[in-house]
């Protein structure tokens, strides 16, 4: 039963495996920067501006995330709460909003600190139902008080989906950080976040590269014309292999369980990416924002995480904690 009890995480000691993983990410970024520099020298006639912007943004994003993770538990939870705030703000800026609903939206923003407070104090039983149950029931009730029925169900669904995606899903990453490190001495809590974050982003990159090289057969061209079966299968297989290799150094999973974790992240990341693409198609926009140069908006960058974070969290929580 002790495995199901979590305790506050301290950062007095970062496992060596986690330190090496973080250095490995930095090494990948250095390699990407060098490749970009060489390409610009060898192909001066081509425009490499987007690639340069993407790499520079990755440096900034990795720097911010690593800093938050290394500073401590409180800073990490606050960071992911702020990420949820930015994601919710961006989402609400691209969807149609009824004028009277601005008083309802205020409660969505107020739900963020409360949700992350539940994470911080490790109140799992309430955290797991706060957004899916309590906020789900409260949103339409607060809308009723406005006395506006036109567009009621569409708006209620929009706000609940926004809360589930930008608050509930992302907060599972923060909850990984407060799980007991005793169960995962090799990688610690940070190791779990690195495993999830790296595999999710690696899956996106792998599917893109495999699709560029071998892509022939489109999956759902009406939603994402660049997604191909070749890219999907190649990316998932690559992610499964990486999940297997990184499982034992960074997580309490065996390499066999790492195969399953990699499969979950590969498939869920693909679905999360496609889901946000469908949203953008519906709204007739290319990107959800322009906050991250070369990448678009916050939602463009965390779309896969909205699916992989809760699924990976519950997989590892029920298996090991």
């Amino acid at each position: 039963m002790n495995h199901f009890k979590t305790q506050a995480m301290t950062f007095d000691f970062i496992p060596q495996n986690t330190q090496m993983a973080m250095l490995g990410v930095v090494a990948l970024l250095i390699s990407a920067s060098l490749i970009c520099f060489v390409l610009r020298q060898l192909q001066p006639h081509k425009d490499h501006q987007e690639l340069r912007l993407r790499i520079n943004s990755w440096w900034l994003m990795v720097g911010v995330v690593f800093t938050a993770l290394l500073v401590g538990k409180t800073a990490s939870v606050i960071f992911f709460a702020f990420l949820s705030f930015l994601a919710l703000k961006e989402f609400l800026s691209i969807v149609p909003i009824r004028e009277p609903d601005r008083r309802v939206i205020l409660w969505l923003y107020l739900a963020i600190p409360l949700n992350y407070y539940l994470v911080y104090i490790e109140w799992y039983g309430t955290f797991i139902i706060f957004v899916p149950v309590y906020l789900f029931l409260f949103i339409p009730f607060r809308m009723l008080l406005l006395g506006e029925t036109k567009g009621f169900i569409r708006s209620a669904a929009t706000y609940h989906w926004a809360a589930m995606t930008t608050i509930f899903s992302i907060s599972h990453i923060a909850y990984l950080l407060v799980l007991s490190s005793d169960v995962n001495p090799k990688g610690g809590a940070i190791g779990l976040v690195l495993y999830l974050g790296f595999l999710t982003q690696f899956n996106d990159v792998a599917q893109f590269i495999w699709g560029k090289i071998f892509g022939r057969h489109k999956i759902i061209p009406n939603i994402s014309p660049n997604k191909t079966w070749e890219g999907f299968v190649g990316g998932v297989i690559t992610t499964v292999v990486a999940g297997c290799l990184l499982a034992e150094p960074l997580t309490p999973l065996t390499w066999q369980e790492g195969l399953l974790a990699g499969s979950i992240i590969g498939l869920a990341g693909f679905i999360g990416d496609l889901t946000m693409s469908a949203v953008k198609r519906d709204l007739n926009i290319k990107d959800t924002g322009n906050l991250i140069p070369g990448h678009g908006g916050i939602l463009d960058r965390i779309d896969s995480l909205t699916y992989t974070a809760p699924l990976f969290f519950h997989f590892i929580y029920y298996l090991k904690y």
Side-chain angles (χ1 to χ4, degrees):
M1 293 298 294
N2 290 335
H3 286 327
F4 290 92
K5 296 180 180 179
T6 58
Q7 60 187 26
M9 178 184 65
T10 62
F11 289 80
D12 297 331
F13 171 73
I14 301 176
Q16 185 176 7
N17 288 346
T18 300
Q19 296 179 36
M20 295 301 296
M22 298 176 84
L23 290 175
V25 171
V26 173
L28 287 175
L29 288 176
I30 293 175
S31 300
S33 296
L34 290 175
I35 291 173
C36 181
F37 175 78
V38 172
L39 287 175
R40 292 169 64 188
Q41 300 303 310
L42 296 177
Q43 302 173 335
H45 58 286
K46 289 190 175 182
D47 184 10
H48 297 97
Q49 179 69 4
E50 183 177 357
L51 176 61
R52 186 179 66 83
L53 287 175
R54 281 178 172 267
I55 295 174
N56 289 343
S57 293
W58 271 116
W59 274 108
L60 178 60
M61 289 186 288
V62 168
V64 171
V65 172
F66 278 13
T67 299
L69 292 176
L70 295 173
V71 168
K73 169 188 171 181
T74 302
S76 299
V77 174
I78 291 174
F79 167 76
F80 285 109
F82 185 62
L83 181 63
S84 283
F85 168 79
L86 292 177
L88 177 62
K89 182 174 182 292
E90 186 174 272
F91 184 86
L92 293 175
S93 71
I94 62 176
V95 297
I97 301 295
R98 302 187 310 173
E99 185 62 32
D101 287 344
R102 297 190 181 279
R103 283 169 285 183
V104 177
I105 290 172
L106 172 63
W107 291 97
L108 295 179
Y109 285 114
L110 292 176
I112 295 175
L114 181 53
N115 181 75
Y116 279 90
Y117 176 71
L118 296 174
V119 172
Y120 186 78
I121 64 174
E122 305 167 55
W123 195 355
Y124 177 80
T126 302
F127 159 75
I128 209 64
I129 62 173
F130 173 64
V131 173
V133 178
Y134 294 144
L135 194 60
F136 169 75
L137 296 175
F138 179 78
I139 289 173
F141 166 71
R142 184 61 184 88
M143 292 173 63
L144 286 174
L145 300 180
L146 301 175
E148 178 63 59
T149 58
K150 186 176 181 179
F152 182 89
I153 190 169
R154 182 182 181 91
S155 294
T158 297
Y159 303 145
H160 184 247
W161 197 80
M164 287 293 293
T165 303
T166 63
I167 303 175
F168 186 64
S169 289
I170 298 303
S171 61
H172 283 79
I173 308 175
Y175 212 110
L176 286 172
L177 290 168
V178 301
L179 292 176
S180 174
S181 295
D182 294 341
V183 182
N184 185 30
K186 292 180 292 184
I190 297 180
L192 295 176
V193 174
L194 288 179
Y195 184 86
L196 168 65
F198 176 78
L199 285 187
T200 300
Q201 301 305 325
F202 181 68
N203 178 59
D204 289 346
V205 174
Q207 291 193 18
F208 173 79
I209 293 175
W210 282 100
K212 277 290 185 181
I213 298 175
F214 300 106
R216 295 294 183 274
H217 303 88
K218 299 183 183 300
I219 300 180
I220 312 178
N222 290 337
I223 295 179
S224 185
N226 294 324
K227 298 287 186 184
T228 63
W229 282 107
E230 292 82 2
F232 166 66
V233 173
V236 170
I237 292 175
T238 305
T239 303
V240 169
V241 173
C244 173
L245 295 176
L246 295 174
E248 293 189 352
L250 294 178
T251 77
L253 302 173
T254 64
W255 69 266
Q256 296 95 330
E257 293 165 340
L259 289 174
L260 184 54
S263 300
I264 292 172
I265 292 174
L267 292 170
F270 175 78
I271 297 172
D273 189 1
L274 271 183
T275 300
M276 193 54 64
S277 294
V279 171
K280 290 185 287 187
R281 287 280 177 177
D282 181 34
L283 298 172
N284 197 28
I285 57 176
K286 182 179 182 295
D287 298 316
T288 59
N290 55 11
L291 185 63
I292 308 175
H295 293 266
I298 292 290
L299 293 171
D300 292 309
R301 191 64 274 148
I302 67 170
D303 51 5
S304 296
L305 276 170
T306 61
Y307 270 65
T308 62
L311 291 178
F312 174 73
F313 172 86
H314 290 291
F315 172 75
I316 200 166
Y317 185 85
Y318 288 112
L319 200 62
K320 298 297 179 179
Y321 290 83

